[in-house]
């Protein structure tokens, strides 16, 4: 079964501390993984995708196929990073673009 | 605002009533998705269209749910005989598939409360 698991509902850190939001997935094929973010009172938006291998707002995520993980990391958290973060898998067969989301992790960065 | 728009933003209805939501995608986006999100959960896929063709439906989409995308532009999601379990945020997303890559842009959602 295709599944995305985010084990932490809430992650609370102090400003300047490192952040790691965990994501594990279950998928039989070659996965395409994403991190989406939702800031307070804003719509869901793409943060980054593993294919791009880029750093967005200081965040990076590496796909580890051996551990079936796609953890999101940032070395120094900022207060403006406080938001809900969703890990998502592009799943299904054929050319479908449907996304399978995890339950989400709320990141709270304290001053 | 040229992003995805959804109407209404909020809907309160009584159990057994029918409701219809509308999604206007970003112009020229050929794919349109519907997701449902309940409290404390991530969005769950319901259905999607490529142009006007409905290509996939989740088993979450019972026969009380129907979606259309006439002319491949806006889409409507109708729920007949609403139940309290239908209370959720209904999200629409659109995308343009190019070179095998695709980014889904989400609307603000329609929050449904069934009393």
């Amino acid at each position: 079964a295709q599944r995305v698991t985010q084990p932490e509902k809430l992650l609370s850190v102090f400003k300047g501390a490192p952040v790691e939001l965990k994501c594990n997935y279950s998928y039989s094929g070659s996965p395409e993984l994403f991190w989406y973010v939702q800031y307070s009172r804003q719509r869901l938006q793409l943060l980054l995708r593993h294919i791009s291998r880029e750093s967005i707002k200081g965040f990076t995520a590496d796909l580890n196929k051996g551990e079936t993980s796609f953890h999101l990391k940032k070395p120094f958290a900022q207060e403006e990073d406080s938001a809900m973060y969703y890990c998502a898998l592009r799943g299904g067969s054929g050319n479908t673009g449907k996304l399978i989301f995890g339950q989400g992790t709320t990141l709270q960065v304290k001053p | 605002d040229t992003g995805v728009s959804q109407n209404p933003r909020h809907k309160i209805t009584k159990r057994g009533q029918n409701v219809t939501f509308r999604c206007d995608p970003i112009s020229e986006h050929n794919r349109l998705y519907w997701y449902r999100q309940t409290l404390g959960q991530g969005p769950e896929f319901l259905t999607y269209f490529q142009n006007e063709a409905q290509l996939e439906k989740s088993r979450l989409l019972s026969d009380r749910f129907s979606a259309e995308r006439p002319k491949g532009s806006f889409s409507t999601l109708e729920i007949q005989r609403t139940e309290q379990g239908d209370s959720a945020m209904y999200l629409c997303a659109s995308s343009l598939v190019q070179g095998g890559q695709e980014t889904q842009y989400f609307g603000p959602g329609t929050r449904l409360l069934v009393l």
Side-chain angles (χ1 to χ4, degrees):
Chain A
Q2 298 158 7
R3 186 180 299 122
V4 175
T5 304
Q6 294 179 249
E8 303 140 328
K9 279 197 171 254
L10 172 66
L11 183 62
S12 186
V13 302
F14 285 102
K15 177 183 171 182
V19 168
E20 183 180 49
L21 293 133
K22 291 185 166 48
C23 171
N24 289 89
Y25 66 90
S26 172
Y27 185 64
S28 56
S30 184
E32 189 174 353
L33 284 139
F34 306 83
W35 277 98
Y36 275 79
V37 61
Q38 187 167 26
Y39 300 102
S40 179
R41 296 191 180 86
Q42 293 187 28
R43 59 187 69 188
L44 200 58
Q45 58 186 284
L46 178 66
L47 179 62
L48 53 79
R49 67 178 82 217
H50 89 271
I51 286 177
S52 301
R53 293 180 166 272
E54 57 195 346
S55 172
I56 304 291
K57 299 184 179 182
F59 284 98
T60 59
D62 290 319
L63 178 61
N64 185 324
K65 291 186 179 180
E67 295 184 358
T68 60
S69 69
F70 187 56
H71 303 328
L72 183 68
K73 300 177 184 178
K74 184 169 182 176
F76 308 104
Q78 303 299 314
E79 288 181 69
E80 56 265 31
D81 296 329
S82 295
M84 176 70 90
Y85 291 80
Y86 293 97
C87 182
L89 168 72
R90 179 172 164 172
S93 58
N95 196 24
T96 181
K98 80 175 184 186
L99 295 172
I100 298 165
F101 286 86
Q103 290 183 307
T105 299
T106 300
L107 174 63
Q108 184 184 72
V109 181
K110 297 178 285 190
Chain B
D1 185 0
T2 55
V4 178
S5 62
Q6 292 186 246
N7 288 288
R9 295 291 306 277
H10 303 273
K11 179 72 178 178
I12 300 174
T13 191
K14 292 182 179 178
R15 190 176 54 186
Q17 297 294 304
N18 298 345
V19 294
T20 300
F21 308 142
R22 177 179 170 125
C23 171
D24 287 272
I26 294 171
S27 178
E28 298 180 359
H29 276 193
N30 54 358
R31 282 190 176 177
L32 188 149
Y33 297 81
W34 285 100
Y35 294 85
R36 181 173 69 185
Q37 185 173 22
T38 53
L39 204 59
Q41 303 295 318
E44 294 176 292
F45 170 79
L46 292 178
T47 188
Y48 91 98
F49 295 82
Q50 178 142 324
N51 301 310
E52 65 274 10
Q54 188 173 19
L55 294 189
E56 189 173 349
K57 293 196 292 186
S58 164
R59 54 190 168 81
L60 289 175
L61 213 65
S62 77
D63 55 7
R64 296 184 298 105
F65 287 70
S66 62
E68 293 182 343
R69 193 184 182 197
K71 303 177 184 177
S73 56
F74 71 92
S75 176
T76 57
L77 178 68
E78 181 183 16
I79 309 175
Q80 295 182 324
R81 305 181 304 281
T82 52
E83 301 173 356
Q84 288 183 326
D86 297 332
S87 295
M89 175 75 88
Y90 290 83
L91 296 169
C92 175
S94 72
S95 69
L96 178 65
V97 181
Q98 280 184 318
Q101 286 222 12
E102 179 182 2
T103 298
Q104 293 185 28
Y105 294 86
F106 282 81
T110 295
R111 186 172 295 281
L112 173 66
L113 177 61
V114 182
L115 301 175

